[in-house]
Amino acid sequence: MSQNETERLLNQFILPDLSENLRQIRSIAEGSSDLLVNEFVLSGLPAALLCCEGMLSTATITELILHPITHVTVDEPTAANVFAYIRNHQLYSTDRAEAKTYSDLFRFLNSGFAVLVLEGADSALVFGVQGYDKRSVSEPSGEDNVMGAKDGFIEVVRVNMSLLRRRMKSPQLKLELFVKGSKSQTDLCLCYMADRVPKSLIAQIKARLDEMELESILSSGYLQPFLENRRGCLFDTIGTTQRPDVLCAKLLEGRVGLLIDGTPFALVIPKLFCESFQTMDDYCYRPSYATLVRWIKYAAFLVAVLLPSLYLAIALHHPELLNRTLLLILADAEQNAPISLTAEAIGVLVVYEIIREAGLRLPKAVGGSVSIVAGLIIGDAAVSSGLISTPMLTVTAIAVIAGFVVPDLSQNVTLLRLTFILAGGFLGLFGISLLGAAVLFNLCAGESFGFPIMAPLAPLYPTGLRDTATRVGFQKMQSGNFTVEEYHE
């Protein structure tokens, strides 16, 4: 069957003729092996119970639907009376709905619902009996913490919704479930606190989602380009998190969360740049220690981005900035190097990225051996043979390790580090200053749905600095219901 013919059938309304309905359904499914059709007689009328194998619980559908539905008897057995009796007197499932078209029928069917089709009825009743295999709730792998909660989002959107509701029992927490993706029919859930979120933000997000035309949504990366700033900001304006407690904290600040069925990541809208340096552990430590750790992260970010380029700029263009001892050490290390310092720095970073990607994609059983081979064998051999100088390798290693302190910015740090190396290698400190100013201007000009991503620093909001430049105690932090609406332009 052609695609146009299939789409035409899906948009048709369900017919009151059961045999014709089953013929249409089988025609649309085109012999799909997971479609199960169970025909039986319901109170004297021909009926069929449809389900998708592997998407529902056999025990649940047997106990809650198959067994009680065979005992249904109606005095005047018409389709309308039977459906009315089931709606008003039977509770086969707490999650019930009605399908009017074949498109709705297949969407419920492929989501783990049982579908009841009856002779003479121009609609179908659907019952939620989902029971597909899923990963259990476990600690998120990408956002480790010491003192925070150990549960993280999984791939099932309804489980993720329950993780939020367990923490936020207020009726102000709204969870709006809807479907996007013409082929995948993916469930999305918009999460927000009705008393905290700006109404204009909700309207803009819904408008962006309505504008997009996607056949499938298989991960959060499919949606981010449609929601991010369209002016070409260098840094992400949409955040991601695997932690329910982090998302709840953002919702209390007036943000909007977006859960996607099939991915364990939630999108947070909008995202501020300073949030990349904040973790849940910051709010478990004493304020003084949390402030120290936060400033270490700021320094680590600058080291990760600027250290190799500063080394190149000083060594190639401004050697007068070094004292005599450092200058002699540098000259002795570089005099036998076969390639220029700029090419050497770029080569080391490219090799590191190759090793990192190899260790990331390989099975865990052999992924560790890549680090051993790269660090102990290749690195030592490269320095011993004179291909790479020891100072360059040391500077690069420090920059790479500093980048691990802020994993949320790892992609941006990698690209900026290489760009600053080129600027420092060709133009010296002047090139680094020029590029740094351009990056800073780009950051200050960046916005997400009207919220400047550099807030509360640019523009300056003194009250917001309580959890940016420092981390004050909860007594001061809770003095007033802070929301990001204060930053809205």
Side-chain angles (χ1 to χ4, degrees):
M1 185 184 296
S2 65
Q3 180 178 349
N4 292 335
E5 180 66 17
T6 302
E7 291 181 355
R8 185 185 66 81
L9 290 177
L10 286 172
N11 292 326
Q12 288 183 359
F13 288 96
I14 294 174
L15 302 173
D17 187 345
L18 177 63
S19 60
E20 181 63 20
N21 272 332
L22 296 181
R23 190 188 67 80
Q24 296 275 46
I25 291 169
R26 289 190 174 102
S27 178
I28 294 172
E30 292 187 297
S32 181
S33 301
D34 59 349
L35 174 63
L36 303 180
V37 180
N38 301 279
E39 297 186 53
F40 65 104
V41 176
L42 175 57
S43 190
L45 296 176
L49 190 67
L50 313 178
C51 57
C52 187
E53 185 178 10
M55 294 295 293
L56 46 78
S57 169
T58 305
T60 302
I61 192 175
T62 301
E63 181 180 354
L64 297 183
I65 297 179
L66 291 179
H67 179 68
I69 205 171
T70 56
H71 294 82
V72 171
T73 55
V74 180
D75 295 335
E76 297 180 6
T78 63
N81 291 341
V82 171
F83 271 12
Y85 179 82
I86 291 175
R87 292 191 194 97
N88 300 327
H89 298 87
Q90 300 293 318
L91 188 62
Y92 297 137
S93 170
T94 56
D95 191 2
R96 300 193 297 177
E98 193 168 339
K100 294 288 187 180
T101 66
Y102 292 112
S103 177
D104 294 336
L105 186 148
F106 272 90
R107 180 168 62 85
F108 283 115
L109 194 63
N110 295 326
S111 298
F113 284 73
V115 180
L116 176 63
V117 185
L118 186 64
E119 177 71 33
D122 58 358
S123 63
L125 295 182
V126 295
F127 310 98
V129 287
Q130 295 93 332
Y132 40 77
D133 291 335
K134 60 180 180 292
R135 183 170 60 92
S136 61
V137 176
S138 57
E139 186 174 1
S141 58
E143 296 179 61
D144 293 335
N145 70 96
V146 178
M147 302 178 68
K150 303 297 182 182
D151 57 343
F153 291 129
I154 64 171
E155 287 75 14
V156 183
V157 67
R158 293 180 183 271
V159 175
N160 294 339
M161 292 165 62
S162 69
L163 292 175
L164 292 180
R165 183 61 72 183
R166 282 172 51 194
R167 287 173 168 82
M168 303 294 294
K169 300 178 177 63
S170 169
Q172 297 294 340
L173 174 61
K174 307 300 180 183
L175 304 174
E176 295 185 11
L177 202 61
F178 54 97
V179 177
K180 290 294 179 181
S182 59
K183 298 298 183 185
S184 64
Q185 294 287 291
T186 305
D187 289 326
L188 306 181
C189 181
L190 205 63
C191 317
Y192 58 91
M193 297 293 292
D195 59 336
R196 300 291 181 89
V197 69
K199 300 299 184 290
S200 59
L201 178 59
I202 294 292
Q204 291 180 68
I205 293 173
K206 290 182 176 179
R208 292 270 187 97
L209 293 174
D210 290 337
E211 289 175 4
M212 70 179 189
E213 297 180 1
L214 289 175
E215 288 189 342
S216 63
I217 301 174
L218 304 179
S219 72
S220 58
Y222 283 58
L223 292 178
Q224 276 188 266
F226 295 94
L227 298 172
E228 283 190 330
N229 187 349
R230 298 172 183 176
R231 294 189 198 171
C233 185
L234 294 175
F235 293 84
D236 294 334
T237 57
I238 305 296
T240 60
T241 181
Q242 288 181 275
R243 299 180 59 86
D245 49 0
V246 170
L247 182 56
C248 287
K250 303 304 180 187
L251 297 181
L252 285 172
E253 294 178 357
R255 319 292 177 92
V256 176
L258 187 61
L259 302 175
I260 305 164
D261 192 35
T263 177
F265 291 89
L267 298 182
V268 182
I269 310 166
K271 176 190 177 183
L272 305 181
F273 178 71
C274 63
E275 292 174 339
S276 299
F277 303 90
Q278 300 172 357
T279 64
M280 187 55 65
D281 277 337
D282 292 349
Y283 304 95
C284 300
Y285 298 143
R286 295 178 64 86
S288 56
Y289 180 72
T291 301
L292 172 63
V293 171
R294 191 164 290 179
W295 277 100
I296 289 175
K297 293 176 184 177
Y298 294 145
F301 171 74
L302 294 176
V303 168
V305 173
L306 297 176
L307 184 60
S309 60
L310 289 174
Y311 173 77
L312 282 180
I314 293 174
L316 294 176
H317 301 280
H318 312 282
E320 66 276 4
L321 295 178
L322 299 174
N323 60 40
R324 183 174 179 275
T325 304
L326 287 176
L327 187 60
L328 291 176
I329 292 174
L330 176 62
D332 181 62
E334 299 294 343
Q335 65 180 352
N336 296 322
I339 55 178
S340 67
L341 273 176
T342 305
E344 191 176 336
I346 294 175
V348 170
L349 289 175
V350 169
V351 170
Y352 158 71
E353 291 299 325
I354 293 173
I355 295 170
R356 187 190 66 84
E357 192 68 18
L360 184 65
R361 304 303 170 191
L362 279 172
K364 292 182 179 181
V366 296
S369 61
V370 174
S371 301
I372 296 174
V373 171
L376 298 181
I377 300 176
I378 297 178
D380 182 67
V383 173
S384 301
S385 62
L387 290 176
I388 301 174
S389 65
T390 303
M392 175 58 70
L393 192 62
T394 303
V395 167
T396 305
I398 293 173
V400 167
I401 293 173
F404 294 154
V405 178
V406 194
D408 199 33
L409 297 175
S410 61
Q411 299 179 40
N412 311 94
V413 166
T414 299
L415 295 175
L416 287 176
R417 186 191 290 133
L418 289 170
T419 308
F420 273 99
I421 283 175
L422 293 174
F426 289 106
L427 298 176
L429 293 179
F430 173 75
I432 294 175
S433 303
L434 194 63
L435 181 59
V439 172
L440 191 59
F441 290 155
N442 182 273
L443 263 175
C444 294
E447 56 88 21
S448 176
F449 294 96
F451 296 87
I453 65 171
M454 275 298 286
L457 296 175
L460 183 63
Y461 296 90
T463 56
L465 295 178
R466 296 182 301 175
D467 194 27
T468 304
T470 62
R471 207 284 278 171
V472 299
F474 278 100
Q475 293 88 344
K476 294 182 180 179
M477 201 177 298
Q478 292 295 327
S479 58
N481 292 328
F482 167 80
T483 65
V484 292
E485 192 169 11
E486 298 179 21
Y487 297 155
H488 196 269
E489 293 179 337

